[in-house]
Every structure is written in structure tokens, then in C-alpha cells.
């Protein structure tokens, strides 16, 4: 049984620090604005945004167990732990919160890495996570400016920012993020 929006907010906000809940509220606001601007379903965008970081503060061992025990994307386990919460969050949105809409579940699953062939809702939630009003990192204003032009331009700028940061820190780049970026560029040139 799916929870009401208010029940989801209560359940999710109680699992994270106040600062992260403030971020989630910013993603909710940004996702609805982007959905209305670019033609996605604002209700689905709102629900996906509420849940996008539901597992962010779970213990690493618990996230790993959920991935292993439920046949989720085990490739993630050999990459940055920051990617794990999106896969786990998508799973628990369905299992624990009764979300049965595959578009919402996918938007949660792909909000950190993107994917090749991102849906409109995937793009909205991923970009909202980059540009929500509380975000303050080098290059965020450029991402926000590009988001005014198109979802694709905004996401390319976001992925470029992530990839550049990881390169500067000599960290491993999750291959799907590069593939997602390249796919968005191809979309713009077709």
C-alpha cells in the first residue's frame, strides 16, 4: 500500500539530518519547477524527489546487504559508496513505501549516475539534485544557467562538473556517468 505524500515526508525526513532534509526539500521544489517547465509529471517528480535520498544515511554495511541480498546492481559495490544509496533507495521506495510506479523508481535509481536513455523524469530528478537552491559548489551557477536552456544541457554541465571533480581528485569515475553524458550529447546532436 502506497503511503500518502505526508506519510512519505514524515518517514523520509525522520531518517536523515535536518540539513539533508532541507536539501531534499530543495530537490522537491526544483523537480516540480523543472517538471512543469519541460513537460514531466510534477506529482511523480515530487514523489521521486522526496524519496531520492531515503537511504543516504543508512549504514554502509546495510546498503551493501540490501544490494547483495536482493540481486541489485552488484557492480556498484566496486565503485564509490556515494552511488549505493540511489540503488538501495529505489528498492526501498518499492518495498517499504509502496511505490509501484516504475518511472518514479527509475528516477530514484538513476539520480546519481544517470543512464543511457534517461527518461524525462530521470532527467528532471537528477538535474534537480544538482541545482536545488541550497547547493553551493564551484560551477553550480553554470549548471543552473544551462538548466534554463534545456534538461540535457543542464545535465551535461552537471556530469561535466562531477567528472572534473573526480579527475582532479584522481578518483575512479563510474563508467555509466560517462556513458550518460555522452548519450545526452548525442541527443542534442540528433
Amino acid at each position: 500500500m502506497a503511503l500518502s505524500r505526508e506519510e512519505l515526508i514524515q518517514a523520509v525526513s525522520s531518517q536523515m539530518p535536518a540539513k539533508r532534509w532541507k536539501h531534499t526539500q530543495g530537490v522537491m521544489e526544483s523537480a516540480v519547477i523543472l517538471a512543469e517547465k519541460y513537460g514531466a509529471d510534477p506529482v511523480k517528480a515530487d514523489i521521486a524527489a522526496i524519496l531520492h535520498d531515503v537511504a543516504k544515511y543508512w549504514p554502509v554495511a546495510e546498503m551493501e546487504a540490501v544490494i547483495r541480498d536482493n540481486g541489485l546492481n552488484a557492480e556498484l559495490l566496486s565503485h564509490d559508496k556515494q552511488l549505493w544509496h540511489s540503488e538501495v533507495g529505489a528498492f526501498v521506495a518499492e518495498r517499504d513505501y509502496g511505490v509501484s510506479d516504475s518511472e518514479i523508481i527509475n528516477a530514484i535509481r538513476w539520480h546519481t549516475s544517470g543512464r543511457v536513455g534517461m527518461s524525462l523524469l530521470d532527467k528532471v530528478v537528477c538535474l534537480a539534485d544538482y541545482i536545488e537552491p541550497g547547493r553551493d559548489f564551484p560551477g553550480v551557477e553554470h549548471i543552473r544557467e544551462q538548466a534554463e536552456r534545456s534538461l540535457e544541457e543542464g545535465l551535461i554541465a552537471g556530469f561535466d562538473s562531477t567528472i572534473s571533480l573526480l579527475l582532479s581528485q584522481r578518483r575512479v569515475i563510474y563508467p555509466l556517468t560517462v556513458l550518460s553524458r555522452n548519450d545526452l550529447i548525442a541527443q542534442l546532436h540528433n
Side-chain angles (χ1 to χ4, degrees), residues 51-84:
L51 287 161
H52 85 284
D53 276 351
V54 67
K56 181 88 172 177
Y57 289 91
W58 284 27
V60 170
E62 192 173 342
M63 285 193 284
E64 182 177 355
V66 168
I67 291 169
R68 287 192 192 284
D69 297 348
N70 295 286
L72 303 181
N73 182 4
E75 181 193 351
L76 286 171
L77 299 176
S78 62
H79 290 278
D80 195 309
K81 292 170 181 58
Q82 293 296 319
L83 295 165
W84 299 5

Side-chain angles (χ1 to χ4, degrees), residues 16 42 62 70 88 101 110 128 182 184:
M16 57 184 62
E62 192 173 342
N70 295 286
V88 174
D101 187 302
W110 305 114
N182 292 348
L184 291 164

Side-chain angles (χ1 to χ4, degrees), residues 3-116:
L3 301 180
S4 70
R5 181 178 187 273
E6 291 69 31
E7 290 169 325
L8 283 176
I9 287 172
Q10 180 59 40
V12 173
S13 65
S14 69
Q15 292 190 51
M16 57 184 62
K19 183 177 179 185
R20 179 53 55 164
W21 178 245
K22 187 168 174 32
H23 160 73
T24 297
Q25 289 174 306
V27 176
M28 290 158 58
E29 174 189 331
S30 296
V32 169
I33 290 168
L34 289 169
E36 289 172 346
K37 180 176 176 76
Y38 292 110
D41 183 325
V43 174
K44 289 183 181 186
D46 181 58
I47 298 299
I50 292 168
L51 287 161
H52 85 284
D53 276 351
V54 67
K56 181 88 172 177
Y57 289 91
W58 284 27
V60 170
E62 192 173 342
M63 285 193 284
E64 182 177 355
V66 168
I67 291 169
R68 287 192 192 284
D69 297 348
N70 295 286
L72 303 181
N73 182 4
E75 181 193 351
L76 286 171
L77 299 176
S78 62
H79 290 278
D80 195 309
K81 292 170 181 58
Q82 293 296 319
L83 295 165
W84 299 5
H85 76 279
S86 56
E87 182 80 4
V88 174
F91 177 77
V92 300
E94 189 170 13
R95 182 190 71 186
D96 299 347
Y97 300 107
V99 176
S100 59
D101 187 302
S102 61
E103 275 190 284
I104 294 171
I105 292 165
N106 282 330
I108 297 165
R109 175 169 286 117
W110 305 114
H111 84 270
T112 53
S113 64
R115 66 172 167 160
V116 173

Side-chain angles (χ1 to χ4, degrees), residues 97-162:
Y97 300 107
V99 176
S100 59
D101 187 302
S102 61
E103 275 190 284
I104 294 171
I105 292 165
N106 282 330
I108 297 165
R109 175 169 286 117
W110 305 114
H111 84 270
T112 53
S113 64
R115 66 172 167 160
V116 173
M118 291 177 82
S119 73
L120 185 57
L121 190 63
D122 293 347
K123 292 174 182 178
V124 162
V125 175
C126 185
L127 186 54
D129 192 28
Y130 272 112
I131 67 168
E132 64 92 357
R135 287 288 202 200
D136 182 22
F137 58 87
V140 72
E141 285 306 322
H142 173 68
I143 300 167
R144 289 181 177 128
E145 288 165 13
Q146 295 305 305
E148 287 296 316
R149 296 179 54 205
S150 79
L151 287 171
E152 294 77 18
E153 292 286 4
L155 282 168
I156 291 165
F159 290 145
D160 284 353
S161 171
T162 297

